[in-house]
Amino acid sequence: MTKASSVEIHKLKKELEVLEQKKGKGTELVSLYIPHKKKIYDVTSQMKDEYSQASNIKSARTRKNVQSALEIIMQRLRTVKDVPENGIVMFVGTIPRGVKDKMEVYMINPPEEVTTYVYHCDSQFYLDTIKDMLSEKGTYGLLVVDRSEATIGFLKGKRIEIAKHINSNVPRKHGRGGQSQRRFERLIEIAAHEYFKKVGEKASNIFMNTPDLRGVLLGGPGPTKEFFNNEGYLHHEVQKKILDVIDTSYTDEFGITELVDNAEELFKDLDVTKEKGLVNRFLKEVVKDKGLAAYGESEIRQCLAKGAVDTLLVSEDVESFRVVMTCSSCDYRTDKTVKNVKEYENKISTEKCPKCGEMSLGIDEFKSTLDELTNMVDSIGAKIEVISNETEEGQQLNAFGGLAAILRFRS
Ligand code: ZN
């Protein structure tokens, strides 16, 4: 399997947003997923079958649209010799555009291996398989606990979610001495036991009802967390999933964040840690005198031109798109830079063509400004990473205009 880069994943997410809102007038949008091991001529012969079966479709318009979609697919398949490692994904169909319709064709590079062959004809494109590939993989359970409170949460992809906070009301031990002291201590221990039991039950319940739970991290200050862990307050199914017991200073929301930060070693492979690491490396260079950092578009462009960039960091917030807008009723064609393709397409669908006056405007192609940067980065053998805005580090990057670089040398 060829692993997709953060830039590719990001672009694909944007593309899916646009594909998601495409709707055909009838069941005439074709989606095709071809796995690597599938023979192209098998697919072509199925397309031929589908083509002849489509002649039974009652609606003349739907019949014509399905058949032209199949023709386009067969044409495209003729140019394919071998199915690439990750497979082929195609979406083809006639999309209504005001008074006229337009045939749209999308070839997608799947970010993971397509394992099942899918031929799907519907009024919408079938995107589930590709969406699954993009969904944040794996959820981690988080629990911080001490004698006064406990917080339960999740790390989902890059996002931390708080699920539950529990206060203990267990009184503090204090020295009065004598008989009453021993009795008091015994009562405290009973209260503490009840509290730990409650935390264990709540956490177990929440974690066991979480699909795709990859593991659990347990944290807190002092030895309470180990005591909690060793006394088996958690359900054995959850207990088995504990990946690490980690020191944190807090047991509230901050404690949960601390837990994730302190488990960095464990999350080495996760994108979130990688992104944080890169932004922090950049920030360290920024504060240094003559550090290896650059930011802002003009400085970055200069550094790229000189080949001085090692890693380019692009916040997903700075991205814009170059879109080609056409009219399906006349030959009007123009291009424009927009921030959000989906919103822009919605907007122009209600506008009249400036040339012929029909409401037939639509977007034919769009290119992310990231493409240009990616090409520049590739040409000098540097790296590029898209930094999501969901983390604190992502927000910090936005303070630098969302475009920053770690340099190879000062230029
Ligand atoms: Zn027009």
Side-chain angles (χ1 to χ4, degrees), residues 274-286:
K274 188 177 163 196
E275 285 183 15
K276 281 182 172 195
L278 286 170
V279 175
N280 284 328
R281 227 176 95 199
F282 163 75
L283 293 172
K284 262 188 209 152
E285 293 295 334
V286 166

Side-chain angles (χ1 to χ4, degrees), residues 327-332 353 355-358 361:
C327 172
S328 57
S329 299
C330 71
D331 62 355
Y332 179 75
C353 167
K355 194 171 172 188
C356 69
E358 297 286 359
L361 295 175

Side-chain angles (χ1 to χ4, degrees), residues 2-218:
T2 335
K3 203 176 177 296
S5 71
S6 69
V7 175
E8 288 166 326
I9 300 249
H10 173 78
K11 276 163 64 182
L12 190 49
K13 279 185 182 161
K14 294 285 165 188
E15 209 164 357
L16 283 190
E17 278 180 14
V18 174
L19 284 175
E20 233 173 354
Q21 57 173 12
K22 305 275 179 196
K23 283 185 181 66
K25 275 182 189 152
T27 52
E28 55 199 45
L29 304 191
V30 177
S31 308
L32 190 63
Y33 290 76
I34 311 174
H36 172 62
K37 54 180 190 292
K38 188 100 178 164
K39 295 276 175 288
I40 286 294
Y41 58 78
D42 286 339
V43 183
T44 311
S45 73
Q46 199 209 340
M47 291 306 113
K48 281 181 189 152
D49 285 350
E50 295 290 346
Y51 189 93
S52 52
Q53 276 177 43
S55 57
N56 300 323
I57 297 173
K58 281 202 188 83
S59 149
R61 192 188 44 82
T62 305
R63 180 170 64 239
K64 180 181 142 275
N65 287 341
V66 170
Q67 289 188 328
S68 12
L70 288 164
E71 269 168 22
I72 286 174
I73 291 172
M74 288 188 281
Q75 258 172 38
R76 291 287 173 111
L77 290 179
R78 245 174 261 145
T79 65
V80 178
K81 264 179 122 180
D82 292 300
V83 182
E85 239 185 297
N86 279 1
I88 295 176
V89 178
M90 281 175 89
F91 302 107
V92 183
T94 306
I95 307 296
R97 243 193 223 188
V99 288
K100 262 202 175 165
D101 300 339
K102 181 129 178 51
M103 176 63 77
E104 298 189 9
V105 183
Y106 301 90
M107 294 276 275
I108 303 272
N109 276 330
E112 280 179 16
E113 205 181 322
V114 173
T115 50
T116 318
Y117 175 74
V118 176
Y119 169 81
H120 192 91
C121 194
D122 202 348
S123 58
Q124 272 172 286
F125 291 124
Y126 175 75
L127 303 171
D128 288 4
T129 308
I130 204 112
K131 273 202 231 155
D132 279 351
M133 291 179 184
L134 288 176
S135 70
E136 294 163 342
K137 294 279 161 10
T139 300
Y140 292 84
L142 309 169
L143 171 61
V144 280
V145 59
D146 66 3
R147 287 174 73 95
S148 64
E149 63 176 354
T151 309
I152 303 163
F154 293 107
L155 181 68
K156 287 180 176 172
K158 292 165 195 174
R159 226 175 35 252
I160 288 175
E161 280 175 19
I162 303 297
K164 180 107 192 137
H165 180 257
I166 301 164
N167 278 316
S168 79
N169 304 318
V170 176
R172 291 190 171 277
K173 295 177 194 174
H174 55 92
R176 253 185 300 181
Q179 185 79 20
S180 65
Q181 169 70 11
R182 277 195 295 281
R183 187 169 160 269
F184 186 58
E185 273 179 5
R186 209 170 62 82
L187 288 175
I188 288 176
E189 283 325 304
I190 291 170
H193 172 72
E194 285 306 315
Y195 156 71
F196 286 137
K197 230 174 85 181
K198 183 176 161 194
V199 172
E201 278 167 14
K202 281 271 183 248
S204 300
N205 219 325
I206 289 172
F207 293 151
M208 281 163 74
N209 285 307
T210 305
D212 233 0
L213 191 76
R214 283 219 197 148
V216 174
L217 293 173
L218 177 62

Side-chain angles (χ1 to χ4, degrees), residues 228-277:
F228 180 82
N229 189 23
N230 297 336
E231 293 299 305
Y233 284 110
L234 288 166
H235 189 281
H236 62 94
E237 287 295 326
V238 175
Q239 189 86 34
K240 273 196 297 198
K241 290 201 165 175
I242 291 186
L243 299 170
D244 212 350
V245 182
I246 294 163
D247 267 319
T248 65
S249 317
Y250 300 96
T251 43
D252 54 5
E253 226 172 286
F254 291 113
I256 292 283
T257 311
E258 262 191 290
L259 188 61
V260 173
D261 286 343
N262 294 351
E264 211 124 321
E265 202 42 37
L266 200 69
F267 291 130
K268 245 193 337 242
D269 295 337
L270 284 182
D271 294 345
V272 60
T273 323
K274 188 177 163 196
E275 285 183 15
K276 281 182 172 195

